[in-house]
Amino acid sequence: MSHFVFDPAPVVSVPVVGADEQFPVHRIYCVGRNYAEHAQEMGHTGREPPFFFMKPADAVVVCPPGQITALPYPSLTANLHHEIELVVAIGVRGKSIPVDQALWHVFGYAVGLDMTRRDLQNDMKKQGRPWCIGKGFDHSAPIGMITPASAIPNIEQADIDLQVNGKPRQHGQISQLIWNVAETIAQLSAAWELQPGDLIYTGTPAGVGPVVTGDVLQGNVTGLKPIAAQVV
Ligand code: MN
């Protein structure tokens, strides 16, 4: 067998709660406008079919509990936004998964941030261009430890919130998702075959807004490990 021309990039991984194990990341899928009030604040109404975008796996920034993880302010933007989200970690391969079987494919859940260069995303929207530069940049996917689904019997009952510098910025309930976890998996797996290691950022509740260098973000979902990050 021939050699690689250079060393392959290391496998991106996220630690798992309750085990000395790492969840190896395959792909990062994200759901757009999946809470009604956030859809409204972005200028949309109604229950439109879910839509998806992606971030590169190496956009992950692991935020271990009990630490404030450094989050570099990205280039090219003057309007970096926070979006606190429930992240679903896929453990079992599947395509065209029925809603009633979808949760069987879930390995676990984590708290995540879909960091967004809002000014660039809005420019791309206006021009009908892809969102990559607004969404898929380096360090754009902070995530906390993954809790196995068996320890979270009812994620739909959880609250989700974000504080910036100790002040509430975003708050919602997972039950407010327009497309719930099972429906999201069903729709997503119609378009891509889901693989073990896939992460799904399920969308953000209302209250998105800018952060600047020095700000400390603290995110929570009931029952999951919280995350804390400082923009540097
Ligand atoms: Mn988002």
Side-chain angles (χ1 to χ4, degrees), residues 30-33 38 53 55 83-85 113-116 118 135 201-204:
C30 303
V31 187
R33 296 192 288 265
H38 173 62
F53 57 91
K55 295 174 185 265
E83 296 191 357
I84 188 72
E85 308 204 356
L113 282 163
D114 166 16
M115 299 304 294
T116 302
R118 191 72 72 197
K135 288 290 196 178
Y201 283 61
T202 54
T204 196

Side-chain angles (χ1 to χ4, degrees), residues 210-231:
V211 286
V212 297
T213 302
D215 284 350
V216 174
L217 298 84
Q218 293 173 288
N220 292 281
V221 173
T222 314
L224 304 182
K225 294 293 182 190
I227 62 172
Q230 183 168 35
V231 183

Side-chain angles (χ1 to χ4, degrees), residues 1 10 12 32 52 55 59 62 79 99 136-137 146 150 177 188:
M1 188 186 133
V12 174
F52 306 102
K55 295 174 185 265
V62 172
N79 196 16
V99 171
F137 53 93
I146 295 172
S150 55
L177 280 169
L188 185 60

Side-chain angles (χ1 to χ4, degrees), residues 34-35 84-88 109-111 152 154-161 171-184 202-205 220-224:
N34 204 10
Y35 289 83
I84 188 72
E85 308 204 356
L86 170 70
V87 182
V88 177
Y109 299 99
V111 181
I152 307 290
N154 202 344
I155 195 68
E156 304 283 338
Q157 298 297 313
D159 283 5
I160 180 168
D161 73 76
H171 181 258
Q173 286 88 40
I174 301 304
S175 60
Q176 296 169 329
L177 280 169
I178 295 172
W179 298 92
N180 68 23
V181 170
E183 291 168 333
T184 296
T202 54
T204 196
N220 292 281
V221 173
T222 314
L224 304 182

Side-chain angles (χ1 to χ4, degrees), residues 44-133:
H44 296 265
T45 56
R47 195 192 200 215
E48 57 183 32
F51 68 93
F52 306 102
F53 57 91
M54 296 176 76
K55 295 174 185 265
D58 66 355
V60 158
V61 178
V62 172
C63 301
Q67 295 181 33
I68 299 176
T69 301
L71 187 61
Y73 196 95
S75 61
L76 299 180
T77 185
N79 196 16
L80 176 66
H81 271 209
H82 54 74
E83 296 191 357
I84 188 72
E85 308 204 356
L86 170 70
V87 182
V88 177
I90 296 294
V92 179
R93 172 197 315 264
K95 60 179 173 182
S96 300
I97 300 167
V99 171
D100 64 3
Q101 292 172 29
L103 297 183
W104 184 73
H105 294 259
V106 175
F107 172 82
Y109 299 99
V111 181
L113 282 163
D114 166 16
M115 299 304 294
T116 302
R117 295 195 279 210
R118 191 72 72 197
D119 41 3
L120 299 185
Q121 183 201 23
N122 288 341
D123 285 350
M124 295 298 110
K125 274 188 198 173
K126 264 183 232 149
Q127 299 178 64
R129 290 179 176 170
W131 288 10
C132 305
I133 200 169

